[in-house]
Amino acid sequence: MKQDKRGKKNKDNDVVNPLDILDMMAEELSAKRRAGRKSKQAQQHGGKENPRPQGAEPKPRHGRAVFITGTDTGVGKTIVAGVLGLLLQKKGIDVGIMKPVQCGGDDAEMLQQLLDIKDELADIRPFQAKSALSPHVAFRRERIRFQPKDVLEKYHTLKQKHDMTLVEGAGGLLVPIEEKYLMADLIRALDIEVIVVARLGLGTINHTLLTIRQAEEKGLRVKGIIFSESAPHPRGLPEKTNPPTISRIAHVPVLGIIPYLGPEPLKDIKEQVVDKCRRVINLRCVWGAQPEGQKGPWENWDKKYIWHPFTQMKDWKQEEPLVIQKARGAYLEDVSGQKYLDGVSSLWVNVHGHGHPLIDQAIKTQINQLSHSTLLGLSHKPSISLAKKLVEISSAGLDKVFFSDNGSTAVEIAVKMAYQYWQNKGQTKKTLMAHLSHSYHGDTCGSVSIGGIDLFHKVYQKLVFQTLEIEFPDFYRAPEGKQYPDYTEECLTRMESILKRRRHEIAALVIEPLVQGAGGMIVWPEGVLKRIRELCYRSRILLIADEVATGFGRTGKMFACEHEGVSPDFLCLAKGLTGGYLPLAATLTSQKIFDGFCFDYADQKTFFHGHTYTGNPLCCAAALANLSVFEQEQTLQKLQPKIKYLEKALQKFSDLLHVGDVRQKGFMAGIELVRDKRSKKAYDWKEKVGIRVCQWARTQGVILRPLGHVIVLMPPLSISRSEMDRILEVTYEAIVRVTGRRPSPRRR
Ligand code: PMP
């Protein structure tokens, strides 16, 4: 427990006097500035900062910002902006202001003068019309062409310059800036929290609740409400009861009630304003519940209650958990407001960026209709539409869709179907599942049975069913005495003979087409997939293509099988199916397989399998929206130049002394780190080289997750070039720092 300056006890989640908090904030800011100066001096003197953790440079800190909107025009937005500005300044906080759209009046000028802001007016209010009209009318009359990107640029500049930028809207959330571009759209593009200003008095409940509801509908985050008193009347029951009523109904806190401040301009009564308002505004919440860098309760509760997947929890105890609270586009944001580029698409799932308005909206619309109803014995529209769509976009020969809820089950269902298909047909000896070495198909016992990664799978050996593992190249290290491409050919020939010889036993071969993901981003050379398809066909062995990782554009086409015109007997989909929003999986198969289950009920040949949330309507709605974004935004077309760009940018990694191999297929890339490049000798796993690279990248605001010593790059397909550049730059530097050496001078 910390002692504050006044000797009072202060726990993270105690309710504290806002003024104490502001003192802490001011201290925190001056400490930040001192640290900044120290680091500059250290750089000037060629000295080194003590890294945190290992080798980290000080984080680039961005200022905070809040958007001030109103329930109506004239409810006191500018007064609230002015008051907040004065109170924050009083605490030593550097305040910036912005009024992106101003129609009539001089709010921006007034705030600039009041707060003595030095920024140019053209930056503070980039779009200004003289007429006091709705912006879409005023701009059209005055031939002003509104450009959201100009607002965004100026906003980001101001935000970086100041500790807190107060952005004031015009009118309310649904005010059109252009015919089809509302104030709410601008707020969403700015990715900023909102304070709703409401009039204090009778009749305010409806307006305020409607505004908050609309903000939520539009995906905006409402920080709180500030009420503003517009006349010097004595406060009656409505003034007293409305704020708590609204707060209770909307689940949004009241951040303050500003009393009537009189007719004088605020700039003439600054001291009185501060005096009257400092005890009635909760500046702590305006600033943000958890100031940057300050540890909150979440990290502790995480350690206390959560068992994390694929994580050695003993190590986790020493780590500082990163608690994510929101995400937009290619960025994740933690509870302290720090942003991170999502370099692995939140475990290979995100496609069009976080918080995509169409997918958000589709889920919300579906919630209003139906959140869940079972597919066991009933059906619903979203699952029907999605099944139809999946059949349309997948290769010819895939006609039926069986839903489940994750990648492991999608594969396990295919395995069970393939097995039972032969049983139903009376070919009862065809029970064996074949898979490739380095394969990964999930973590349930069925999918572990067909896994080929010792580290993950060996321990469960006695728990899982017997399968046939077929040796398959990793296309980087051929066994001693062998060489590529001869070794690839040798493996395929061996596979052919095994499949032929054991065709009476083998029910199906399970593969990850083109890229074996978790096995280390192993990319197959062209033609291998097609050969495997032919081999299975000839031996009457069913082919299960696990496209859980490769599906939905990852390899540059909608499905990896398309690259070689392959149609499998089963196609397993999950991860990107919902754009990375909700858990949903699908196993597609042919009419032939389906017919192999259609018998009389008494024959007991039904496929007895079904998860409770199979084909959940919300998930299906997200998946349908995901697929329409592919069409509307021409995601796959736009991806092609980005793939080439990534390919070019990855070239320089190969020059690094400890980079053994760089592999890429579309937007899936793996950089394998080795102790010795010439002999391809791997690092000892105990050195945790991959983990350390990712830890360093995190200190620079980039989230990566390794596969052993392979650094995976798998950003959302929607990522911009500059965001991609940042990920690549940080990854390169991280590898250099951790593996310790720069490229050889000859090649640099
Ligand atoms: N198959 C493949 C190819 C995968 O990459 C994964 C997950 N990484 C799975 C199956 C399992 O998916 P889930 O984690 O959703 O069960």
Side-chain angles (χ1 to χ4, degrees):
M1 202 174 279
K2 286 180 238 121
Q3 293 280 122
D4 77 3
K5 273 207 310 212
R6 286 154 218 196
K8 270 186 275 169
K9 284 190 174 165
N10 171 14
K11 238 194 325 179
D12 286 330
N13 42 355
D14 281 350
V15 180
V16 236
N17 180 342
L19 290 176
D20 298 340
I21 293 293
L22 262 287
D23 285 344
M24 280 159 47
M25 284 155 42
E27 272 170 29
E28 185 205 334
L29 281 166
S30 50
K32 209 163 87 182
R33 288 190 189 113
R34 277 198 305 276
R37 277 201 297 274
K38 226 174 101 189
S39 136
K40 239 190 205 153
Q41 281 163 9
Q43 278 166 18
Q44 279 159 6
H45 295 110
K48 272 193 183 154
E49 279 275 79
N50 202 6
R52 41 142 224 162
Q54 283 192 355
E57 270 155 15
K59 286 184 199 173
R61 290 277 172 92
H62 302 285
R64 295 174 177 219
V66 69
F67 195 98
I68 298 164
T69 189
T71 54
D72 195 351
T73 202
V75 287
K77 288 190 301 289
T78 312
I79 291 181
V80 169
V83 168
L84 292 181
L86 286 174
L87 293 178
L88 288 163
Q89 284 182 337
K90 195 80 189 162
K91 289 290 164 192
I93 288 161
D94 181 72
V95 173
I97 50 153
M98 190 177 193
K99 173 100 187 174
V101 172
Q102 180 166 302
C103 297
D106 57 357
D107 293 350
E109 293 86 333
M110 197 282 270
L111 285 171
Q112 190 192 31
Q113 267 187 29
L114 173 73
L115 300 170
D116 195 19
I117 304 262
K118 300 283 179 278
D119 300 314
E120 297 289 329
L121 255 180
D123 294 332
I124 295 176
R125 53 149 173 69
F127 290 94
Q128 185 212 15
K130 291 190 189 73
S131 348
L133 291 164
S134 166
H136 76 299
V137 181
F139 288 169
R140 200 178 330 123
R141 270 181 59 164
E142 296 179 32
R143 296 182 192 286
I144 295 167
R145 180 125 176 69
F146 176 74
Q147 300 277 12
K149 83 170 176 7
D150 290 352
V151 175
L152 287 180
E153 260 169 36
K154 293 195 183 329
Y155 165 70
H156 285 295
T157 313
L158 289 174
K159 199 174 158 216
Q160 280 176 22
K161 255 165 105 176
H162 300 286
D163 295 328
M164 171 62 98
T165 302
L166 305 167
V167 187
E168 191 195 328
L173 295 179
L174 295 189
V175 164
I177 305 177
E178 282 184 324
E179 207 67 39
K180 288 191 176 151
Y181 194 85
L182 311 181
M183 189 58 72
D185 298 321
L186 178 64
I187 303 175
R188 210 180 143 108
L190 293 174
D191 187 17
I192 182 173
E193 281 184 310
V194 174
I195 289 178
V196 174
V197 177
R199 191 173 48 78
L200 187 71
L202 191 64
T204 201
I205 295 180
N206 190 51
H207 283 138
T208 315
L209 290 178
L210 282 176
T211 299
I212 292 168
R213 183 171 293 178
Q214 193 54 45
E216 284 164 359
E217 284 264 299
K218 293 275 178 195
L220 308 178
R221 298 178 302 274
V222 180
K223 204 167 196 158
I225 317 158
I226 296 183
F227 291 90
S228 177
E229 201 172 30
S230 55
H233 306 307
R235 285 189 191 171
L237 218 47
E239 286 77 13
K240 288 185 186 141
T241 55
N242 283 351
T245 304
I246 292 169
S247 175
R248 205 173 49 246
I249 296 175
H251 300 288
V252 168
V254 174
L255 303 182
I257 300 176
I258 297 184
Y260 178 62
L261 296 172
E264 296 93 345
L266 290 189
K267 72 175 173 26
D268 299 340
I269 50 163
K270 276 191 197 183
E271 284 309 314
Q272 287 112 290
V273 170
V274 169
D275 236 36
K276 278 189 176 172
C277 296
R278 59 186 204 158
R279 297 211 169 265
V280 295
I281 295 282
N282 186 343
L283 269 191
R284 177 197 189 192
C285 286
V286 172
W287 173 256
Q290 192 183 326
E292 271 184 59
Q294 190 178 310
K295 246 179 110 190
W298 300 107
E299 290 85 348
N300 300 332
W301 290 338
D302 172 281
K303 286 190 181 174
K304 194 162 172 200
Y305 299 113
I306 294 192
W307 184 344
H308 285 267
F310 271 101
T311 303
Q312 178 41 261
M313 294 308 288
K314 189 175 170 202
D315 291 350
W316 187 260
K317 270 196 226 156
Q318 322 305 327
E319 272 180 40
E320 185 122 326
L322 189 56
V323 184
I324 302 299
Q325 71 171 353
K326 58 191 186 206
R328 278 281 181 275
Y331 286 92
L332 301 165
E333 189 179 317
D334 73 10
V335 282
S336 73
Q338 187 74 36
K339 290 196 171 167
Y340 301 84
L341 274 164
D342 189 354
V344 286
S345 298
S346 294
L347 223 61
W348 314 358
V349 295
N350 195 278
V351 181
H352 307 293
H354 296 272
H356 193 290
L358 283 182
I359 308 181
D360 285 3
Q361 191 52 52
I363 298 169
K364 287 179 200 160
T365 308
Q366 184 56 43
I367 284 180
N368 292 336
Q369 296 288 320
L370 167 72
S371 290
H372 184 68
S373 160
T374 182
L375 284 189
L376 277 66
L378 295 175
S379 195
H380 52 71
K381 284 188 199 167
S383 65
I384 299 168
S385 306
L386 180 59
K388 180 171 178 290
K389 188 81 195 163
L390 288 174
V391 167
E392 282 164 12
I393 63 167
S394 59
S395 58
L398 294 169
D399 312 302
K400 300 283 174 189
V401 180
F402 193 97
F403 287 110
S404 61
D405 38 37
N406 62 72
S408 311
T409 53
V411 180
E412 204 154 317
I413 284 162
V415 165
K416 281 177 72 178
M417 279 181 176
Y419 171 93
Q420 194 179 338
Y421 171 77
W422 296 116
Q423 297 299 305
N424 283 359
K425 276 184 82 83
Q427 303 214 21
T428 50
K429 290 207 177 104
K430 269 173 98 69
T431 57
L432 190 60
M433 291 294 148
H435 67 92
L436 307 180
S437 49
H438 323 290
S439 60
Y440 177 85
H441 299 287
D443 299 328
T444 54
C445 280
S447 48
V448 166
S449 307
I450 46 171
I453 303 173
D454 275 359
L455 178 67
F456 304 158
H457 302 139
K458 207 169 156 189
V459 64
Y460 304 111
Q461 231 169 21
K462 297 224 168 110
L463 189 61
V464 299
F465 57 81
Q466 283 304 307
T467 55
L468 173 68
E469 179 169 310
I470 298 179
E471 188 186 323
F472 201 65
D474 73 0
F475 305 103
Y476 173 50
R477 284 184 192 84
E480 242 188 275
K482 315 263 180 189
Q483 265 189 348
Y484 290 114
D486 295 352
Y487 178 59
T488 310
E489 194 48 44
E490 187 186 318
C491 285
L492 286 167
T493 311
R494 196 176 329 117
M495 181 188 291
E496 181 171 19
S497 97
I498 297 171
L499 296 183
K500 235 185 204 166
R501 190 163 30 90
R502 302 187 70 173
R503 65 184 185 282
H504 301 297
E505 297 165 69
I506 301 174
L509 170 68
V510 192
I511 58 164
E512 292 161 79
L514 291 199
V515 186
Q516 289 186 290
M521 291 288 148
I522 299 170
V523 179
W524 297 359
E526 216 181 302
V528 168
L529 172 61
K530 206 174 171 124
R531 279 280 293 282
I532 294 180
R533 167 73 275 191
E534 281 162 14
L535 300 183
C536 287
Y537 192 71
R538 270 190 246 142
S539 298
R540 297 194 68 222
I541 288 169
L542 299 172
L543 180 67
I544 300 175
D546 173 356
E547 291 227 32
V548 168
T550 53
F552 301 99
R554 268 292 146 202
T555 62
K557 292 196 186 275
M558 188 57 97
F559 302 114
C561 283
E562 285 175 35
H563 287 273
E564 304 200 3
V566 159
S567 182
D569 296 293
F570 296 92
L571 177 69
C572 309
L573 305 172
K575 287 198 190 278
L577 172 55
T578 58
Y581 272 64
L582 289 168
L584 180 70
T587 307
L588 277 69
T589 192
S590 63
Q591 184 71 42
K592 183 184 87 174
I593 301 288
F594 177 82
D595 289 343
F597 288 77
C598 290
F599 293 90
D600 288 336
Y601 182 73
D603 292 331
Q604 298 197 350
K605 289 182 175 178
T606 306
F607 186 53
F608 289 110
H609 187 118
H611 303 281
T612 312
Y613 282 105
T614 278
N616 170 272
L618 296 175
C619 303
C620 290
L624 283 163
N626 170 40
L627 294 174
S628 51
V629 178
F630 265 103
E631 284 166 20
Q632 284 181 29
E633 297 187 358
Q634 302 193 309
T635 307
L636 291 174
Q637 287 94 315
K638 286 189 194 148
L639 185 62
Q640 305 313 316
K642 289 194 225 176
I643 292 173
K644 291 213 171 76
Y645 186 76
L646 178 64
E647 191 180 330
K648 206 155 170 241
L650 283 170
Q651 281 169 8
K652 76 171 195 170
F653 285 76
S654 306
D655 290 349
L656 287 172
L657 268 190
H658 290 282
V659 170
D661 195 24
V662 178
R663 311 186 267 268
Q664 183 206 358
K665 184 74 202 172
F667 244 34
M668 296 176 91
I671 302 164
E672 179 158 348
L673 306 175
V674 288
R675 169 150 300 290
D676 183 60
K677 201 160 171 161
R678 200 167 302 158
S679 66
K680 302 185 180 177
K681 185 173 185 285
Y683 277 106
D684 188 333
W685 62 271
K686 290 189 206 106
E687 289 181 69
K688 294 188 179 170
V689 168
I691 293 176
R692 278 160 49 214
V693 167
C694 298
Q695 278 170 345
W696 194 86
R698 184 183 291 190
T699 68
Q700 304 305 300
V702 172
I703 300 291
L704 301 175
R705 192 174 159 87
L707 289 162
H709 302 316
V710 178
I711 307 302
V712 174
L713 295 180
M714 231 165 144
L717 307 189
S718 58
I719 196 165
S720 71
R721 285 215 177 164
S722 57
E723 289 160 348
M724 214 157 49
D725 283 342
R726 179 74 190 143
I727 292 180
L728 288 158
E729 187 187 314
V730 168
T731 308
Y732 185 88
E733 193 54 29
I735 293 173
V736 168
R737 292 207 176 217
V738 173
T739 59
R741 274 187 256 165
R742 296 239 159 225
S744 55
R746 188 174 54 81
R747 301 205 56 182
R748 239 192 301 171

